[in-house]
């Protein structure tokens, strides 16, 4: 097997002045060409995890654990070596990254001129080629200002800008949230195609589990700064085991379950139980042990769940509609 591209080991983040834990003991490994979805409600810690990978944790936080990119530690001091070239990030509010005074082509050109030794002609060719790859009318977009493009077109320009230096890792933070379902699906398919074409590893952050499940090979379901369920998407899709994962899936409108009959997740997204399972106070199946005893991931590397009510048994597999009685994964 190849060496890992990114290794996060026991990442913990605490707010200095309040001592509030935001991220607790997060570990995961990403290889070239992986597409990993990090999913959870607002405030679960997805963006802070991305900031840690980017070496951009605010000074008001204390960070424990480590993050290695191709075997080298990522830190605030070393981040310039990777960020913007080997690791690219697309934030939720990507449109702020554009200047209203320069055309798209000129802004992309600036980026290539800073990081490559390509000639002006080569830079233009590379930009037009990349704009075509993200299925845009290249010449027209090259000569447009960002405010002349639609949301979906602009999203493709952002992806083209992020991919133009051929990064090894692309982090997308809620980039489809503001798009309509059709555009969102097209963007996900585009990312999938780029992942295959360039062998780029992609971390896709979202609060829409159903959306991510259709495109990512691996999933990390996050709550209160911890993984609740982690593994191959195929395994989780077949057997969503953690109550939080099950509830996230039940919030999807389908023809059978229209908006009126959707099951809402009880409680508030920011409600975190730090003594035991972070989701315990919102969990419909909560038992005393869940409130007071901390829980870690268990299962196989292909499918792990952090829940007291789940027991693992080698070689066994089952699906569960509810978790009222212990289930095996
Ligand atoms: N600068 C900060 N100071 C103190 N707490 C913070 C700071 N930034 C984030 N947090 C807290 O960290 C937790 C995780 O926030 P984060 O932004 O990572 O969540 P998220 O899952 O990305 O949410 P969203 O989907 O809304 O972007 C939240 O409880 C948030 O209030």
């Amino acid at each position: 097997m190849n060496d890992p591209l990114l290794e996060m080991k026991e990442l913990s983040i605490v707010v200095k002045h309040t001592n509030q834990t935001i991220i607790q003991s997060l570990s995961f490994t990403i290889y070239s060409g992986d597409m990993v979805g990090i999913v959870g409600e607002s405030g679960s810690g997805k963006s802070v995890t991305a900031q840690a990978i980017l070496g951009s944790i605010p000074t008001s936080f204390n960070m424990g654990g480590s993050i290695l990119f191709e075997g080298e530690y990522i830190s605030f001091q070393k981040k310039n070596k990777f960020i913007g070239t080997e690791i690219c990030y697309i934030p939720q509010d990507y449109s702020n990254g554009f200047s209203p005074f320069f055309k798209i082509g000129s802004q992309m050109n600036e980026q290539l001129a800073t990081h490559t030794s390509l000639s002006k002609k080569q830079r233009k060719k590379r930009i037009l080629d990349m704009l075509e790859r993200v299925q845009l009318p290249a010449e027209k977009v090259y000569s447009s200002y960002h405010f002349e493009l639609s949301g979906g077109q602009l999203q493709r320009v952002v992806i083209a800008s992020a991919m133009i230096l051929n990064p090894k890792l692309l982090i997308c933070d809620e980039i489809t949230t503001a798009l309509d379902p059709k555009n969102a699906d097209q963007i996900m398919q585009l990312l999938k195609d780029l992942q295959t074409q360039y062998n780029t590893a992609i971390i896709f952050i979202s609060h829409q589990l159903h959306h991510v499940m259709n495109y990512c090979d691996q999933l990390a379901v996050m709550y209160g700064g911890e993984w609740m369920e982690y593994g191959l998407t195929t395994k989780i899709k077949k057997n969503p085991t953690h109550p939080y994962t099950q509830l996230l899936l039940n919030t999807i409108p389908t023809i059978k379950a229209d908006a009126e009959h959707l099951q809402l997740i009880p409680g508030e997204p920011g409600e975190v139980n730090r003594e035991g399972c972070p989701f315990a106070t919102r969990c419909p199946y909560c038992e005393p042990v869940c409130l007071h005893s901390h829980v870690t991931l268990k299962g196989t590397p292909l499918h792990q769940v952090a829940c007291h009510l789940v027991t693992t048994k080698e070689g066994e597999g089952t699906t569960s509609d509810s978790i009222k009685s212990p289930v095996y994964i």
Side-chain angles (χ1 to χ4, degrees), residues 15 17-18 20-23 40-51 58 60-61 92 173-174 205-207 222 225 270 272:
V15 182
H17 71 281
T18 57
Q20 182 205 351
T21 299
I22 293 179
I23 302 291
E41 289 167 291
S42 192
S44 54
K46 307 179 298 291
S47 300
V48 172
T49 305
Q51 281 174 17
S60 55
F61 292 170
Q92 191 169 358
D173 194 349
E174 308 255 12
I205 294 173
S206 176
H207 58 262
M222 191 173 202
V272 178

Side-chain angles (χ1 to χ4, degrees), residues 209-221:
L209 179 55
H210 60 292
H211 188 53
V212 172
M213 265 190 168
N214 292 332
Y215 297 94
C216 293
D217 316 305
Q218 292 163 52
L219 277 179
V221 180

Side-chain angles (χ1 to χ4, degrees), residues 6-14 22-28 30 38 45-59 61-69 72-80 82-83 87-89 169 171 173 203 205 222 225 227:
L6 184 88
E7 279 182 285
M8 182 179 283
K9 296 180 183 170
E10 297 287 323
L11 179 77
S12 294
I13 294 172
V14 174
I22 293 179
I23 302 291
Q24 187 152 319
S25 304
L26 278 194
S27 299
F28 73 140
I30 295 180
I38 301 183
K46 307 179 298 291
S47 300
V48 172
T49 305
Q51 281 174 17
I53 297 171
L54 296 166
S56 302
I57 287 294
T59 50
F61 292 170
N62 271 330
M63 181 180 135
S66 57
I67 304 174
L68 291 100
F69 182 73
E72 270 196 69
Y73 286 101
I74 296 180
S75 62
F76 184 76
Q77 292 77 12
K78 277 199 190 165
K79 67 175 183 172
N80 292 342
F82 312 109
I83 310 305
I87 304 177
C88 282
Y89 175 66
L169 174 65
I171 304 176
D173 194 349
I203 298 178
I205 294 173
M222 191 173 202
W227 298 147

Side-chain angles (χ1 to χ4, degrees), residues 104-137:
I104 296 293
S106 159
Q107 296 188 55
M108 289 179 78
N109 183 48
E110 181 74 27
Q111 186 190 359
L112 275 183
T114 310
H115 294 288
T116 69
S117 53
L118 296 175
S119 67
K120 200 174 168 191
K121 199 172 160 196
Q122 287 169 324
R123 292 199 297 268
K124 180 164 183 187
K125 187 175 176 306
R126 166 99 66 106
I127 295 166
L128 291 176
D129 179 48
M130 201 66 225
L131 290 172
E132 261 170 34
R133 275 168 204 255
V134 297
Q135 294 142 31
L136 283 169

Side-chain angles (χ1 to χ4, degrees), residues 18-320:
T18 57
N19 224 17
Q20 182 205 351
T21 299
I22 293 179
I23 302 291
Q24 187 152 319
S25 304
L26 278 194
S27 299
F28 73 140
T29 304
I30 295 180
Y31 293 88
S32 293
D34 282 349
M35 186 156 173
V36 183
I38 301 183
V39 187
E41 289 167 291
S42 192
S44 54
K46 307 179 298 291
S47 300
V48 172
T49 305
Q51 281 174 17
I53 297 171
L54 296 166
S56 302
I57 287 294
T59 50
S60 55
F61 292 170
N62 271 330
M63 181 180 135
S66 57
I67 304 174
L68 291 100
F69 182 73
E70 294 191 313
E72 270 196 69
Y73 286 101
I74 296 180
S75 62
F76 184 76
Q77 292 77 12
K78 277 199 190 165
K79 67 175 183 172
N80 292 342
K81 187 170 168 192
F82 312 109
I83 310 305
T85 49
E86 310 253 342
I87 304 177
C88 282
Y89 175 66
I90 307 180
Q92 191 169 358
D93 51 354
Y94 54 85
S95 58
N96 293 343
F98 290 98
S99 162
F101 305 110
F102 298 98
K103 292 180 177 169
I104 296 293
S106 159
Q107 296 188 55
M108 289 179 78
N109 183 48
E110 181 74 27
Q111 186 190 359
L112 275 183
T114 310
H115 294 288
T116 69
S117 53
L118 296 175
S119 67
K120 200 174 168 191
K121 199 172 160 196
Q122 287 169 324
R123 292 199 297 268
K124 180 164 183 187
K125 187 175 176 306
R126 166 99 66 106
I127 295 166
L128 291 176
D129 179 48
M130 201 66 225
L131 290 172
E132 261 170 34
R133 275 168 204 255
V134 297
Q135 294 142 31
L136 283 169
E139 290 280 0
K140 185 166 181 284
V141 169
Y142 187 92
S143 316
S144 301
Y145 292 97
H146 87 272
F147 49 79
E148 294 176 313
L149 304 178
S150 71
Q153 284 181 318
L154 200 55
Q155 187 63 274
R156 285 165 194 270
V157 171
V158 176
I159 293 170
S161 299
M163 291 296 294
I164 203 158
L165 293 170
N166 201 5
K168 293 178 180 163
L169 174 65
L170 178 65
I171 304 176
C172 305
D173 194 349
E174 308 255 12
I175 64 167
T176 54
T177 307
L179 300 178
D180 63 66
K182 190 175 166 215
N183 260 310
D185 275 329
Q186 285 175 351
I187 291 294
M188 289 304 284
Q189 190 52 55
L190 173 65
L191 286 172
K192 191 88 200 144
D193 294 346
L194 293 173
Q195 172 216 10
T196 315
Q197 208 175 338
Y198 294 96
N199 203 30
T200 313
I202 299 178
I203 298 178
F204 192 87
I205 294 173
S206 176
H207 58 262
Q208 297 166 310
L209 179 55
H210 60 292
H211 188 53
V212 172
M213 265 190 168
N214 292 332
Y215 297 94
C216 293
D217 316 305
Q218 292 163 52
L219 277 179
V221 180
M222 191 173 202
Y223 188 80
E226 300 183 39
W227 298 147
M228 299 287 96
E229 188 153 358
Y230 183 87
L232 293 183
T233 306
T234 45
K235 296 265 179 196
I236 298 179
K237 212 170 184 173
K238 193 170 159 210
N239 184 19
T241 304
H242 197 285
Y244 183 55
T245 313
Q246 294 177 359
L247 285 164
L248 280 179
L249 285 170
N250 283 339
T251 57
I252 306 167
T254 62
I255 293 171
K256 271 197 240 161
D258 57 34
E260 242 178 79
H261 299 101
L262 279 181
Q263 194 177 333
L264 294 177
I265 303 179
E268 293 299 321
E271 205 178 303
V272 178
N273 170 49
R274 278 286 160 227
E275 250 190 79
C277 167
F279 188 60
T281 54
R282 298 180 66 195
C283 182
Y285 313 114
C286 178
E287 293 196 0
V289 65
C290 309
L291 289 170
H292 305 297
S293 174
H294 194 255
V295 57
T296 50
L297 286 171
K298 53 194 168 185
T300 68
L302 302 183
H303 188 187
Q304 303 175 65
V305 181
C307 177
H308 284 296
L309 307 183
V310 171
T311 45
T312 55
K313 198 172 167 187
E314 214 172 318
E316 294 265 352
T318 183
T319 51
S320 57

